[in-house]
Amino acid sequence: MDEKGTEAAFDASEQKVREYPNCGKLIHMMASMVQGLMMMSGGWSTDREKYEEKIHSWYERVTECSGDEQVKNAAAYMLAGEYIRKKEYGKAQKMIDSLPEQQADKKILNARLLLAQEKYDEAAVLVEGKLTNVLNDLLIVLSMLTDIAFQEEEMERAEKIASAGKQTALLYDQWGYSSLILPMELALKKKDVEKSIAYIREMFHMLTEPQHMSESVFYCHIYGKENFGRKYDEAMESYAERILPGLLAEIKTDEGYAFLRGNEEFQEVLRTAERFTKN
């Protein structure tokens, strides 16, 4: 797009904004369209200063209009990023605060602001928490995909997906026996006695061993610094004591484990775990 084309698109958009000054959806559409056209044509790098202030004022107007919350949030999100870039941190924080808590990537936007302000510890806490949530969601999705493959009798596919879940948990230093969950679920579905018992034994062993999440490069700010909350490693022994009774009760009563209950090796694994809860 040449300069005349850019100016024509800008002028037409400005006319529409004047005609409908309170229509947030239309104003957002005009701002996005002009900005997008300029980016595609290279004009955003050469003529940015000429149009940026006006385009941003349109986005700001969108955040003040009543109506579509999704459109208002999209405008606020875009403006927050721009204000961070321009080092207008107060304005950026105002836009971030206006976003709902469930807004996708609100934590990432906050972390970007903290990084720009060189508040590295605080940014790391947000990003490490985001990583934890992303991994939790990923493992849930992989568990569902494993179950789908099993139900479709695609065992090789199910094994590969379960293995991916295991490797993901190991790669990102996930807590306790997280790496065993998907392979163990699959072994139980297949009623594989040997593998199921092996996984259950290893699960209890990993649960009762000391955890060292504060040493992980991925979570050292969340769990390794007293001024950002409890010391994770010091809390794990009591945590294991709290969850083990419930976990044992589930294994003893859930139908998914019924095929194991007549197995003496399985019973010995349970007795060993029970002894730990009584110590």
Side-chain angles (χ1 to χ4, degrees):
M1 180 187 291
D2 58 21
E3 187 173 349
K4 287 186 178 180
T6 300
E7 289 185 0
F10 183 84
D11 290 343
S13 298
E14 192 167 31
Q15 178 61 34
K16 286 294 182 184
V17 172
R18 283 197 295 266
E19 289 178 20
Y20 303 96
N22 297 311
C23 183
K25 186 174 290 188
L26 181 140
I27 298 170
H28 186 271
M29 184 188 303
M30 295 298 101
S32 300
M33 180 189 71
V34 173
Q35 189 174 2
L37 288 172
M38 292 182 68
M39 286 178 174
M40 287 188 291
S41 67
W44 198 239
S45 59
T46 58
D47 298 321
R48 184 171 189 145
E49 291 184 5
K50 185 175 181 180
Y51 300 103
E52 182 179 51
E53 185 176 351
K54 177 62 72 172
I55 292 172
H56 287 177
S57 74
W58 293 348
Y59 282 122
E60 287 168 352
R61 185 178 295 185
V62 173
T63 67
E64 297 166 0
C65 290
S66 59
D68 194 320
E69 289 297 317
Q70 187 174 356
V71 172
K72 290 173 66 174
N73 293 338
Y77 191 94
M78 194 287 305
L79 284 170
E82 285 299 304
Y83 288 143
I84 292 170
R85 182 186 63 80
K86 294 164 68 176
K87 299 185 178 181
E88 297 181 23
Y89 300 137
K91 290 183 178 180
Q93 189 65 66
K94 181 180 177 182
M95 290 297 111
I96 293 170
D97 290 343
S98 74
L99 295 170
E101 288 305 313
Q102 65 271 25
Q103 173 76 25
D105 293 333
K106 180 175 181 176
K107 284 186 177 180
I108 293 297
L109 199 55
N110 250 321
R112 283 179 56 196
L113 175 58
L114 292 167
L115 280 171
Q117 296 171 303
E118 299 184 0
K119 297 178 180 179
Y120 301 121
D121 282 342
E122 294 174 61
V125 169
L126 286 180
V127 176
E128 289 174 10
K130 177 69 174 180
L131 175 61
T132 299
N133 292 336
V134 167
L135 290 169
N136 287 340
D137 287 345
L138 176 58
L139 291 174
I140 289 170
V141 168
L142 291 175
S143 176
M144 295 172 70
L145 287 173
T146 302
D147 185 49
I148 290 168
F150 175 80
Q151 298 298 337
E152 293 177 341
E153 299 183 0
E154 293 284 348
M155 295 307 159
E156 184 177 355
R157 191 173 88 223
E159 292 282 357
K160 285 183 178 180
I161 297 170
S163 177
K166 177 180 179 178
Q167 295 305 316
T168 298
L170 290 172
L171 180 63
Y172 291 101
D173 297 340
Q174 287 291 279
W175 169 85
Y177 59 90
S178 297
S179 62
L180 300 179
I181 292 175
L182 267 63
M184 185 171 68
E185 286 179 349
L186 183 57
L188 290 167
K189 284 183 174 72
K190 294 168 67 175
K191 293 184 167 49
D192 186 321
V193 174
E194 184 177 351
K195 283 187 177 180
S196 295
I197 293 174
Y199 284 131
I200 292 168
R201 179 188 288 110
E202 183 63 13
M203 175 183 68
F204 285 135
H205 173 73
M206 294 176 77
L207 182 60
T208 55
E209 283 292 299
Q211 305 287 309
H212 298 287
M213 293 286 278
S214 64
E215 298 176 7
S216 169
V217 297
F218 299 110
Y219 316 109
C220 55
H221 292 82
I222 293 179
Y223 300 127
K225 297 193 175 184
E226 293 288 355
N227 57 324
F228 285 118
R230 69 190 179 102
K231 183 84 170 180
Y232 184 92
D233 293 353
E234 294 173 0
M236 286 314 298
E237 184 176 348
S238 61
Y239 182 76
E241 291 174 357
R242 290 199 303 275
I243 71 166
L244 260 178
L247 186 57
L248 280 166
E250 178 184 350
I251 291 173
K252 289 178 180 179
T253 59
D254 192 283
E255 282 302 307
Y257 300 87
F259 71 99
L260 296 171
R261 292 191 186 119
N263 185 286
E264 179 54 33
E265 185 181 2
F266 173 68
Q267 293 300 326
E268 180 54 35
V269 169
L270 295 185
R271 286 192 291 268
T272 300
E274 286 171 341
R275 284 194 292 271
F276 178 83
T277 64
K278 296 173 183 176
N279 290 340

